[in-house]
């Protein structure tokens, strides 16, 4: 008999395959697999990987967009206890090399579309490091994933996996911009699944989830794993194309959608050109940043008229979900990031980690079973981040008397002007109210008298665009004098992460941060 799957991610698939053998489990843009087919294929690949000498605890890097082969590899690795280290396909070669040097994986598994980069990165691997292609075709050091599946047995791997064993190392810049490897265990990701299933109402066995992001991203990865735990259907597309995404939602009867402001803008524009029937979407979740009431109502009206809206606060180190705002919630103000998920504690603390009174701004600290075990091979950073048993997020928030939380700003984004704190997020929210502004980011720049002053970097939303004096005057009427921008720079776009949600403030400071 195979080991008891217990509370592990591979065990989730075993249980769902027993409950829903004929139900569609996963699909990409080419084909799909039922739970029974998927579990059998995962087992064959796991046996094939074991035949290459990979053992429990070995890290292995992946470089691929969403596809069935990547989903199969993730689950095969989880059943063997192999630690998956997903690389962002949009990162540079030097970034990839830095991350590989950090974890020294046993091998690299790549999509054929990344063959050139994989060949380049082969020089970073150990001489005996495996290089596997996710599709058919030769690859030095091990061959292809389909070839391993073809010769592997369908029996469950006889590897004992504990819930505290590492499952993934996800890379993040952290609060300093220096890359770190966030180690998430089976327990971390299982509890995240339990939280979202219980409190978001999705995924469920009836869920048909088409995620717009890649599963090397913590949000997409966690939702993929939660869907398998619940017994729903997960669709992962190899790229985000607004038209293709909406067509897939309509064709597959998608039930849940997650996105950010950039994604909502693209979907609205595409749907205006050709409206889709999206009545099956039962819920949509806004992540990564604030959303104004007007824009929220537009998304609801024009895209998902039958759906309930959720909002969340998440970070990779927390596996990633921390809080959720539910449709029936009535916080004192908008926008709120909701209340903590059921398994988590959140408190707000001052610079000495002392709890602060309701209504005051403090750092968001998180404690619970889905918080990371630590940063890979970085005990000093781990001690600092998990000081006192609480994850120090580097984010500032406040709470109201009903227990609802409000994101204020990144700690490192606070601007010190004349001895006073200016929260960039507050200024950004104000400027976004101007009808001529589509996007904005606020940074501090050196000032000879005040130490720092406020600079707004604006993406116009109209033609002709507003002028600097107009934006400054708009803020003067709505903000305290020390909070208003002293300068405004207009640009066609803001630098963002791979999925268009988080603005890269460090890059903005490098470009526009001089006085």
């Amino acid at each position: 008999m195979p080991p008891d799957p217990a509370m592990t991610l591979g065990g989730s698939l075993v249980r769902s395959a027993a409950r829903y053998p004929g139900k569609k489990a996963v699909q990409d843009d080419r084909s799909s697999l039922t739970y029974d087919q998927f579990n059998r294929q995962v087992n064959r690949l796991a046996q094939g990987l074991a035949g290459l000498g990979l053992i429990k605890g070995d890290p292995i890097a992946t470089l691929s967009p969403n596809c069935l082969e990547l989903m199969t590899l993730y689950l095969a690795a989880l059943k063997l206890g192999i630690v998956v280290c997903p690389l962002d396909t949009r990162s540079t070669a030097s970034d990839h090399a830095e991350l590989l040097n950090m974890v020294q994986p046993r091998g690299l598994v790549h999509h054929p579309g990344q063959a050139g980069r994989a060949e380049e990165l082969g020089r970073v691997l150990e001489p005996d490091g495996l290089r596997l292609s996710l599709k058919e075709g030769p690859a030095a050091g091990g061959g292809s994933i389909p070839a391993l599946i073809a010769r592997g047995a369908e029996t469950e791997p006889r590897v004992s996996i504990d819930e505290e064993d590492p499952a993934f190392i996800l890379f993040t810049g952290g609060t300093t911009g220096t890359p770190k490897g966030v180690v998430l265990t089976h327990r971390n990701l299982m509890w995240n699944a339990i939280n979202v299933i219980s409190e978001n109402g999705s995924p469920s066995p009836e869920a048909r989830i088409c995620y717009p992001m890649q599963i090397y991203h913590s949000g997409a990865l966690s939702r993929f794993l939660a869907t398998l735990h619940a017994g729903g259907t997960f669709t992962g597309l190899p790229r985000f194309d607004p038209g293709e995404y909406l067509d897939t939602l309509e064709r597959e009867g998608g039930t849940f959608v997650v996105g950010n402001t950039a994604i909502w803008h693209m979907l609205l524009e595409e749907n205006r050109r050709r409206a889709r029937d999206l009545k099956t979407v039962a819920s949509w979740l806004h992540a990564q940043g604030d959303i104004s009431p007007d824009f929220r109502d537009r998304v609801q009206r024009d895209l998902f008229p039958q759906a309930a809206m959720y909002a969340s606060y998440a970070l990779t180190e927390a596996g990633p979900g921390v809080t959720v705002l539910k449709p029936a919630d009535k916080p004192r103000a908008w926008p709120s990031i909701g209340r903590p998920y059921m398994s988590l504690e959140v408190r707000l603390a001052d610079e000495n980690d002392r709890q602060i009174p309701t209504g005051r701004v403090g750092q968001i600290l998180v404690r619970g079973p889905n918080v990371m075990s630590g940063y890979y091979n970085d005990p000093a950073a781990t001690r600092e981040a998990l000081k006192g048993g609480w994850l120090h997020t580097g984010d500032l928030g406040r709470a109201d008397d009903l227990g609802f939380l409000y994101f204020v700003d990144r700690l490192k984004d606070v601007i010190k002007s004349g001895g006073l704190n200016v929260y960039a997020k507050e200024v950004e929210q104000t400027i976004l109210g101007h009808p001529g502004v589509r996007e904005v980011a606020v940074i501090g720049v050196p000032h000879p008298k005040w130490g720092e002053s406020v600079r707004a970097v604006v993406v116009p939303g109209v033609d002709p665009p507003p002028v600097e004096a107009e934006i400054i005057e708009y803020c003067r009427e709505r903000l305290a004098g020390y909070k208003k921008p002293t300068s405004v720079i207009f640009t066609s776009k803001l630098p963002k992460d791979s999925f268009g949600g988080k603005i890269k403030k460090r890059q903005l400071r490098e470009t526009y941060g001089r006085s």
Side-chain angles (χ1 to χ4, degrees):
M1 293 289 290
D4 182 354
M7 287 289 284
T8 66
L9 298 165
S12 289
L13 177 58
V14 173
R15 288 186 290 271
S16 291
R19 295 170 69 197
Y20 310 110
K23 179 190 286 188
K24 186 190 296 183
V26 290
Q27 66 179 16
D28 59 13
D29 60 332
R30 300 168 295 117
S31 58
S32 64
L33 293 169
T34 67
Y35 269 99
D36 181 65
Q37 291 169 334
F38 187 45
N39 192 50
R40 290 173 185 271
Q41 191 145 300
V42 164
N43 288 344
R44 295 177 72 153
L45 178 55
Q47 300 289 2
L49 291 171
L52 295 178
L54 290 168
I55 61 173
K56 179 180 175 179
D58 282 343
I60 188 166
T62 61
L63 183 62
S64 174
N66 290 343
C67 61
L68 283 181
E69 293 83 358
L70 182 65
M71 299 180 207
T72 306
L73 175 67
Y74 278 13
L75 268 296
L78 291 168
K79 285 193 177 189
L80 287 178
I82 294 170
V83 185
V84 182
C85 310
L87 299 175
D88 186 333
T89 59
R90 302 186 188 189
S91 294
T92 65
S94 60
D95 286 342
H96 284 154
E98 184 177 8
L99 299 176
L100 291 182
N101 277 319
M102 179 197 302
V103 299
Q104 292 293 303
R106 280 288 313 278
L108 172 65
V109 185
H110 70 275
H111 188 276
Q114 298 288 328
R117 175 64 57 83
E119 183 66 26
E120 189 176 354
L121 293 174
R123 296 190 288 270
V124 183
L125 299 176
E126 295 293 328
D128 60 346
L130 297 170
R131 275 177 283 172
L132 299 167
S133 173
L134 279 170
K135 310 280 186 176
E136 292 286 2
S144 69
I145 293 302
L148 291 176
I149 291 172
R151 65 174 183 254
E154 290 184 352
T155 54
E156 291 288 339
R158 297 185 61 82
V159 179
S160 180
I161 309 298
D162 187 81
E163 63 182 43
E164 298 296 349
D165 288 334
F168 287 86
I169 298 174
L170 302 183
F171 299 109
T172 176
T175 58
T176 63
T178 302
K180 295 182 177 68
V182 175
V183 180
L184 295 176
T185 66
H186 287 258
R187 178 174 183 255
N188 297 152
L189 290 161
M190 285 290 289
W191 269 104
N192 184 82
I194 293 167
N195 285 339
V196 299
I197 289 168
S198 301
E199 300 215 48
N200 291 20
S202 178
S204 67
E206 297 73 37
R208 296 179 298 279
I209 293 178
C210 179
Y211 218 86
M213 301 170 188
Q214 301 296 307
I215 58 173
Y216 51 70
H217 178 275
S218 63
L221 171 65
S222 64
R223 190 67 57 164
F224 164 61
L225 297 170
T227 303
L228 294 179
H229 184 65
T233 300
F234 185 89
T235 301
L237 299 177
R239 63 196 163 276
F240 177 68
D241 175 89
E244 182 181 2
Y245 181 72
L246 289 174
D247 288 344
T248 303
L249 277 181
E250 182 179 45
R251 182 179 66 252
E252 300 297 328
T255 59
F256 170 85
V257 178
V258 65
N260 53 49
T261 300
I263 288 174
W264 304 138
H265 273 297
M266 287 186 277
L267 293 182
L268 284 165
E269 181 61 25
E270 173 60 31
N271 211 47
R272 185 186 64 79
R273 286 193 286 264
R274 179 167 63 84
R276 276 73 164 186
D277 181 357
L278 304 176
K279 65 176 178 294
T280 60
V281 177
S283 56
W284 63 285
L285 185 146
H286 177 74
Q288 294 185 337
D290 295 334
I291 183 171
S292 70
D294 288 346
F295 190 59
R296 173 199 63 195
D297 294 344
R298 183 182 166 201
V299 173
Q300 183 84 60
R301 181 187 67 245
D302 296 346
L303 285 175
F304 314 121
Q306 307 298 319
M309 187 255 185
Y310 292 75
S312 71
Y313 165 68
L315 69 160
T316 302
E317 287 90 339
V322 176
T323 68
V324 61
L325 182 73
K326 303 175 186 178
D329 285 342
K330 305 293 182 186
R332 295 294 188 196
W334 182 271
S336 167
I337 55 175
R339 295 181 172 114
Y341 279 109
M342 63 177 188
S343 73
L344 288 167
E345 297 174 78
V346 170
R347 69 184 182 94
L348 302 174
D350 63 16
E351 61 274 12
N352 296 312
D353 281 359
R354 295 175 300 206
Q355 188 156 346
I356 61 170
T358 298
R360 293 270 302 278
V361 173
Q363 185 177 183
I364 301 172
L365 307 186
V366 182
R367 182 167 67 180
N370 49 311
V371 171
M372 68 172 183
S373 64
Y375 292 117
Y376 180 77
N377 203 26
D378 196 339
T382 298
R383 284 193 299 272
E384 183 65 23
L386 300 178
K387 187 169 47 178
W390 292 82
L391 172 64
H392 291 60
T393 67
D395 292 330
L396 296 172
R398 61 179 179 83
D400 64 24
D401 59 316
L402 300 176
F404 288 101
L405 291 163
Y406 302 83
F407 180 83
V408 173
D409 214 339
R410 292 287 294 160
L411 185 59
K412 65 181 180 180
D413 290 343
V414 175
I415 300 164
K416 301 282 188 178
S417 184
L420 299 172
N421 288 343
V422 178
Y423 299 114
K425 185 64 66 179
E426 179 187 5
V427 184
E428 289 163 355
Q429 289 172 340
T430 300
I431 295 174
L432 280 172
H434 190 287
V437 174
R438 177 164 182 156
E439 293 183 289
V440 62
V442 165
I443 59 174
V445 294
H447 189 280
K449 182 177 181 181
W450 305 115
E452 284 187 298
S453 64
V454 177
R455 173 167 290 168
V457 184
V458 169
V459 177
V462 295
D463 188 22
V467 297
E468 181 182 54
E470 183 181 346
I471 299 296
I472 293 175
E473 183 59 29
Y474 183 84
C475 293
R476 190 193 311 275
E477 296 170 355
R478 292 164 174 81
L479 293 169
Y482 69 92
K483 298 179 181 179
K484 68 174 177 58
T486 58
S487 59
V488 179
I489 292 174
F490 294 93
T491 184
S492 60
K493 63 179 181 179
L494 298 172
K496 297 180 180 178
D497 66 8
S498 296
F499 303 105
K502 294 184 179 179
I503 296 168
K504 296 181 177 179
K505 287 283 185 83
R506 188 158 61 99
Q507 189 171 328
L508 277 180
R509 293 187 189 98
E510 291 170 359
T511 306
Y512 302 113
R514 298 178 182 86
S515 57

